[in-house]
Amino acid sequence: MSTAHQIPTYPGLVQELADRGLLTARWRQVFDAVPRSAFVPAEVWRQLPDRCEPVVGTDAWLALVNSDEPVVTQLDDGAEDGPGIATSSNSMPSMVARMLGLLEVQDGQHVLEIGTGTGYVAALLCERLGDDLVHSVELDSDVARQAEEALAQAGYRPHLRVGDGEQPWPGLGLVDRLIATCALRYIPYALLRQVRPGGIVVAPLAREFWSGALVQLHVQDDGTATGPFRGGATYMPMRAHRRPDLHDVHGKGRARAAGLDPARLLDLGFALYAGARLPGVRLIHQNTDNGVQVWATRENGAAATAATGEEVWQYGPGFLWEEIEQTWWEYETEGRPDANQFGLTVTDRSQHVWLRDPHEIIRPARK
């Protein structure tokens, strides 16, 4: 029996996004008009937990492109014989829909995109606003060239630039909306200065303790910006914002019983809280048959690792796991707030995570 009819279709994908409440009527029209396949090259990879797997065959390619999955379009910054790490992609369509919804664009507004990638998001913005209102910058010249070709072939000609998206676009002036499609460790204040008062910035942040969360910032008259977190978001980091996952570890291991299931550390609400209370502590995790295993490190060589149902091992100076547990009990005392109760304020001097109210800044537990 033929399996052709079982291959997902793009209209089916858009319908799925609409059924999930991710598309307004206007954005539904836009997504319908811009097929994702026009912005995905022939050679792509699927992101697996531990590697990138080449996608072989037209049917497999279509199945991936027309599904709600990210499509990896570049490995190792384009270098040959690298370790096979994803460095560019066409983002998960549901995430694109979420971000564009949070951008709250209106007719006639100028939008700046940081990270052109394949050009898919720029095309959606062009379809919504018109080519002349869309600006997009990409650092990788090869990626930028491929995006420009795909956009032109699809009939879109936004303003494109090859350069560092962390720096202001020379001569651009103020825009109404800014969207970053790469993860940032912090919001560069230089970017905020390109957004007019009353404008909105939507970006995925990835701090040491958490792998990604969307933030929606509203730019104020005084040039600062503040706004809530809007759920999780995992994006590839801006190249200038890349860091090793963990610090170097020092000292012999010391075992003790775990007072806390490490799986609880992965709740985004706790991660946002702990990231503010324990600045500089990095956390990564891996799923196991029984739950998860986590590794936490600090720049001074302190470290801890714990797996569900097993002992905790600590290394180096201090007692890092005890600090993490103490932070968890503080979070419980606060009522285990959801991620959407947290927000971020950005000024020309600092960036602070807050809980429930911009004045309730979460202060570091230690210097």
Side-chain angles (χ1 to χ4, degrees), residues 280-329:
V281 174
R282 296 182 184 172
L283 183 84
I284 64 171
H285 78 279
Q286 177 178 300
N287 293 328
T288 67
D289 292 340
N290 298 320
V292 301
Q293 181 166 9
V294 300
W295 294 265
T297 64
R298 181 178 274 141
E299 190 174 16
N300 66 356
T305 182
T308 302
E310 299 182 13
E311 289 182 316
V312 173
W313 283 85
Q314 298 188 96
Y315 304 83
F319 299 93
L320 183 54
W321 188 255
E322 278 84 342
E323 292 183 51
I324 292 172
E325 286 187 342
Q326 175 60 37
T327 304
W328 169 263
W329 303 127

Side-chain angles (χ1 to χ4, degrees), residues 175-190:
V175 299
D176 303 285
R177 299 289 188 266
L178 186 148
I179 180 171
T181 53
C182 51
L184 308 173
R185 291 286 176 185
Y186 55 87
I187 301 293
Y189 190 71

Side-chain angles (χ1 to χ4, degrees), residues 17 134 139 155 165 211 241 304 342:
L17 299 178
V134 179
L139 180 65
S211 60
H241 288 222
F342 292 85

Side-chain angles (χ1 to χ4, degrees), residues 64-305:
L64 179 59
V65 171
N66 292 329
S67 68
D68 190 26
E69 289 188 48
V71 179
V72 177
T73 56
Q74 184 196 66
L75 301 179
D76 306 315
D77 296 329
E80 296 183 4
D81 301 322
I85 297 172
T87 51
S88 190
S89 70
N90 186 292
S91 302
M92 185 184 298
S94 59
M95 185 64 65
V96 173
R98 281 177 55 200
M99 293 183 73
L100 291 175
L102 291 172
L103 207 59
E104 299 179 13
V105 295
Q106 304 294 324
D107 292 347
Q109 291 184 331
H110 289 262
V111 178
L112 171 59
E113 178 193 21
I114 308 301
T116 309
T118 65
Y120 181 53
V121 173
L124 293 166
L125 288 167
C126 286
E127 181 68 25
R128 173 65 181 84
L129 297 168
D131 296 359
D132 200 46
L133 297 178
V134 179
H135 295 72
S136 185
V137 59
E138 170 62 48
L139 180 65
D140 189 304
S141 58
D142 288 336
V143 171
R145 175 182 51 79
Q146 293 170 16
E148 183 174 20
E149 291 173 358
L151 284 160
Q153 208 163 26
Y156 301 108
R157 297 190 179 278
H159 300 278
L160 301 176
R161 175 173 170 259
V162 177
D164 183 357
E166 192 170 0
Q167 301 302 318
W169 186 312
L172 175 58
L174 298 181
V175 299
D176 303 285
R177 299 289 188 266
L178 186 148
I179 180 171
T181 53
C182 51
L184 308 173
R185 291 286 176 185
Y186 55 87
I187 301 293
Y189 190 71
L191 291 184
L192 285 189
R193 297 191 64 179
Q194 289 202 127
V195 183
R196 70 178 71 257
I200 294 175
V201 175
V202 175
L205 290 185
R207 294 279 180 88
E208 285 88 353
F209 205 90
W210 34 277
S211 60
L214 281 181
V215 68
Q216 181 192 45
L217 299 174
H218 294 78
V219 178
Q220 312 297 309
D221 290 341
D222 62 0
T224 64
T226 190
F229 286 98
R230 299 292 196 182
T234 302
Y235 273 78
M236 295 172 195
M238 177 183 280
R239 292 190 186 182
H241 288 222
R242 292 175 183 171
R243 292 183 183 176
D245 284 335
L246 296 172
H247 302 94
D248 291 335
V249 178
H250 304 304
K252 294 181 179 180
R254 311 181 299 275
R256 51 150 285 192
L260 178 68
D261 183 348
R264 290 187 170 185
L265 308 187
L266 308 184
D267 176 84
L268 184 56
F270 173 70
L272 293 170
Y273 183 82
R277 289 288 285 160
L278 303 172
V281 174
R282 296 182 184 172
L283 183 84
I284 64 171
H285 78 279
Q286 177 178 300
N287 293 328
T288 67
D289 292 340
N290 298 320
V292 301
Q293 181 166 9
V294 300
W295 294 265
T297 64
R298 181 178 274 141
E299 190 174 16
N300 66 356
T305 182

